Every structure is written in structure tokens, then in C-alpha cells.
Amino acid sequence: MLTERCMVLRISERMKVGRPENIERAIEILKESLGKKISTREVDLVSYSHDYWPITLHWLIKGEVPALPDAVVWPESTEEVQLVVRTAHELNVPVYPYGGGSGVLGGTVPERGGIVVDLKRIRDVVLNEKDLIVEAGAGVNGYYLEKYLESKGYTLGHFPQSLYPSTVGGWIATKATGQFSTKYGGIEDMILGLEVVLPWGDIVTLPPHPRTATGPDLRKLFIGSEGVFGIVTRAWLKIWPMPEERIMISFVSDSLNDALKSVKKILRRGAKPAVVRIYDEIETKRHFYMFDEAYGKIMTVMILEGDKNVVEAERKIVEEEFQGRPLGEEPVEHWLKTRFDVKEASEFAPLGVVFDTIEVSSRWSNAVRLYENVRKAMMNVNGTLFASAHASHFYPQGVCFYFTFAGVPRGDPFEYYESVWDAAMRATLESGGSISHHHGIGRQRRKWLPEELDKAIEVLRRIKEALDERHVMNPGNMNL
Ligand SMILES: Cc1cc2nc3c(=O)[nH]c(=O)nc-3n(C[C@H](O)[C@H](O)[C@H](O)COP(=O)(O)OP(=O)(O)OC[C@H]3O[C@@H](n4cnc5c(N)ncnc54)[C@H](O)[C@@H]3O)c2cc1C
């Protein structure tokens, strides 16, 4: 079927589902009102056939795309998004919100055909200095927003490793979190208000308030909903004055447990370092090989920032509590310089090496057991070359482990990939953890979601049914 629509590439057999019945009519209507803001050109369809889901790189190399949309639109206003969604709803045509396409779980893959809605042209920014709030269109690029705020003396404090290719709407939809989250929180802690186009085309605005008690918080319904409950078109976010002081500290410890225990104590005394990262032995070797003192040890890097007096008090707490040898600022400077380097996945795929990362969370009481179980489970899969982790986000109650694995599959890369994911998800659940800390569910993790949510999955299904009974809004994503 694909040959009718695209001469060069095949659709992967894994997801092929056919074309929506009324797609031609929908495209005709949208062309009339959107003109050049809609495309059915092959180059655009192929460009929007995938996000940054690492296994799809292996398919692309073989000339396969995970799925193809029938059209791509670039609306410039909430009203244009409304028009697209209304038309799609009336004609039963799927729509897939698309931000920066940096999602790593296939969340934007147009698996049932239909229309990809790229939000990047909704990109206005309004600074409200009196209330310390920034209003941003859903398509505003993360790096642009932060640079703009910094030029005015503020920061959002949100630095995902994908800051350069991701958008405000994508952050909200995936419940993203950034490298400075221990102080500033995840995106859910930054959102004060939202504007959303609902699956039948109505626009709702949930205005920015410091807090409200007007029933359940509907903002939360859309944070982490991955485009299945509606399209976020605008957000109001908290901002902070640029920090007055920044202190960089690093330590090497003999064991992961020592480092984790130290950070737990620091947080429980009320200090909030903006950045804390603890690397296991393998990752310490991989990322900090130039520091002889770190060889065979566990590296921890920390950044404390904010008001000078507060930061000084935090430094004292860190120095009193950390069990390890101080290594100064240099490792932190190295981390700051390299923190956006992400070339591995695309470098390894052409060599036939399957590479991916899996982030999960754990309460402190299970943390070390979970780390060991998940790593062992991934290593036990035939073909795995290495599995390692660092702890990247911290709370008084627990921690996020960010695992990395690489392997050379004996047969089909997808089968190997699924086996490692399966092993990691199962070990996480058996160790009492949560299967995702910040990447979300998408199409890669969807089969494990019911197991984690148990009976609560029914709540999600019924909300989906109530909001989108025609299943036009990113159908299949999160299995909804
Ligand atoms: C190298 C790399 C590093 C990364 N580091 C981090 C990290 O540090 N922290 C982190 O949290 N994530 C990280 N990610 C994952 C990814 O960047 C985040 O999930 C990001 O929030 C996705 O934003 P995006 O704009 O690219 O969304 P997309 O990939 O375009 O979309 C992601 C999902 O959100 C939906 N969506 C997008 N925009 C909207 C909207 N306006 N309304 C409704 N639904 C929408 C899509 O349909 C899809 O389901 C990383 C990814 C890569 C490739």
C-alpha cells in the first residue's frame, strides 16, 4: 500500500493499519482554509513518520518508516488548531500532536494514518515580571525560551537533555523533567495555567493562579497525557530570577549505596541542590575517564544555586553529610560542557548496535535492590554488551535511575530490543518501582502500563472514552 503514497520507503509491518476513510475530504477542507499550512508532499510525510524512538533508526536504515501520516499541518493559532481538530472529529480522522519530535517512545508515530499537527508555529512568548510568570505558545522551542528568559534576568529552571529540540507543549504532554529538577521541580511543578483544544474542537482555558481549590486540578489531567486527551496550545509557567550564586561540588565514593545515602540525608535536612547526579562504576568510567581518582569509584556531581545565603547554608549541609572524597569543581565543569552530547544512539545504529535509555523511579527503601535487579535483568538478555545507570533526579522519598544499554542482536534488532525492555520493565515492577520517571509511555511502553496502573487503567480508559469517544486524538498512544 505504501508504494501508492511513497516511492522510496516501506512501512514497517509492525504498525501498518491502513488509511482513514474520510481523509481525502478532510484534506480538501483543510486546504481551503489553511492553504500552504498543510502538506501532503512525500518529503513531509516521511519527515513526520517518526520521532526519536531509537529502534526506529534501525528501521529507517533498512528503508522502513514506522508509519506514514496522510498530511501534515502547521497551524499558527489556537483557532487554526481548533479547525483541524473539529474537521478531524467530524470526519473520524486521527490527529497526532507534534512538538519537537524528540520523544523517545514513538508518541508521535501516526500509526493509523491521518494528520500530524505540528505546533511549532504557535510560538509567542509574553513575560509577566510582576507575577514571575511566562506565557508561552505550545510550539515555543525550549532553548529559545530559556535564552529569552535569561536575557531578561530570569530562568525557567527546566533543562531536559533535549532542551534544543523540544517544545513547551511536548514537555507538558510527556511530563518532562530537567537536569536541575531537584531544586526547580519537573514541568508539573512549573505549570500554572493551560489552554487546550479538546478532541471535539472546543477550546478550554485554565488560567494561571498560584493555587486553586476549585475541584480536582484539571491542569493535571493534561500534564503527561501525551496528546490523547487534547492538544495543548498555550501554557503559563513559573519563572525564577537568575541565581545570584552557583557552587559546584563533586565527590567520589566507594559504593553507589554510600553516595545514595548521602544525598538522601542532604535532602532530608532540607537542602535542595539544583543538580545531583550519581554515576555507577561503569558510567563513571564512561563519562569521567579523565579523572584518575574516579577510576573504579562512584562519581557524584552537584550544583547548588540561588540566593547567596541559602546556597552557603546548603553547601554546609552537603559538606557535613556527604560520605566520599571531595573532587572539586572540575568534574562538574566537565559535566556542564558535555551535558547535551547525545550522539550515541545515532552513531551506534548504523553499526548494528542497539542502544537505548530507560528511566524508572524507586522509593529509597527499594532503590539499590531495584538498580541491581534491573541491571542484572538487562545484562542477562543474549547480546547485551553493557547495562549501566546513573541516578539523575532526587526527592526526599526516592530517586530516578536512568539506565543505558547497548547490545548486538543475534537476529532481528526489534526482538532483542523488546527482550531488554521486557526484562527492565518486569524487574522494575517486581522491585516496587514505577516504569517511567519522565519519558512517558508512548507506543514503546504501552503494553506494560496496565500492569503498573492495575485497576486505575480503567479510569484512564473511561476518561478517554468520555473526552474522545471517536478516538481521533493520537489513537493507540499509551494504548488509549
Ligand atoms: C537526546 C534526548 C534527551 C532527552 N532528555 C530528556 C530529559 O532530560 N528529560 C525529559 O523529560 N525528556 C527527555 N527526552 C525526551 C523528550 O525530549 C521529551 O519527552 C520532550 O518533552 C518531548 O518534547 P517534544 O516537543 O519533542 O515532543 P514530541 O516528541 O513532539 O511529542 C511527544 C509526545 O507529546 C505529544 N505532544 C507534543 N506536543 C503536544 C501538544 N502541544 N499538545 C498535546 N500533545 C503534544 C505528542 O503527540 C507525543 O505523544 C530526551 C530525548 C532525547 C532524544
Side-chain angles (χ1 to χ4, degrees), residues 52 97 99-103 107 160-162 167 170 173-174 176-177 226-227 232 438 474 477:
Y52 208 78
S102 72
Q161 198 188 23
S162 54
T167 62
T174 57
T177 194
E226 302 191 29
V232 175
H438 56 267
N474 206 348
N477 202 27

Side-chain angles (χ1 to χ4, degrees), residues 51-52 96-104 107-108 119 138 159-162 165-167 169-171 173-178 226-227 230-233 342 402 438-439 474 477:
D51 56 5
Y52 208 78
Y96 307 86
Y98 189 103
S102 72
V104 284
T108 64
L119 278 305
F159 299 89
Q161 198 188 23
S162 54
S166 58
T167 62
W171 295 342
T174 57
K175 203 174 180 187
T177 194
E226 302 191 29
I231 300 188
V232 175
T233 43
V342 289
Y402 190 91
H438 56 267
H439 285 164
N474 206 348
N477 202 27

Side-chain angles (χ1 to χ4, degrees), residues 125-189:
V125 176
V126 182
L127 178 61
N128 170 352
E129 292 182 271
K130 279 194 185 150
D131 296 319
L132 278 186
I133 293 173
V134 67
E135 177 186 337
V140 172
N141 170 271
Y143 177 74
Y144 169 82
L145 180 60
E146 184 57 30
K147 281 293 136 197
Y148 168 77
L149 289 172
E150 284 177 14
S151 74
K152 303 283 180 191
Y154 300 98
T155 179
L156 184 63
H158 187 65
F159 299 89
Q161 198 188 23
S162 54
L163 185 70
Y164 290 79
S166 58
T167 62
V168 168
W171 295 342
I172 296 164
T174 57
K175 203 174 180 187
T177 194
Q179 295 157 339
F180 286 56
S181 70
T182 305
K183 176 180 170 70
Y184 298 100
I187 196 72
E188 71 278 14
D189 302 304

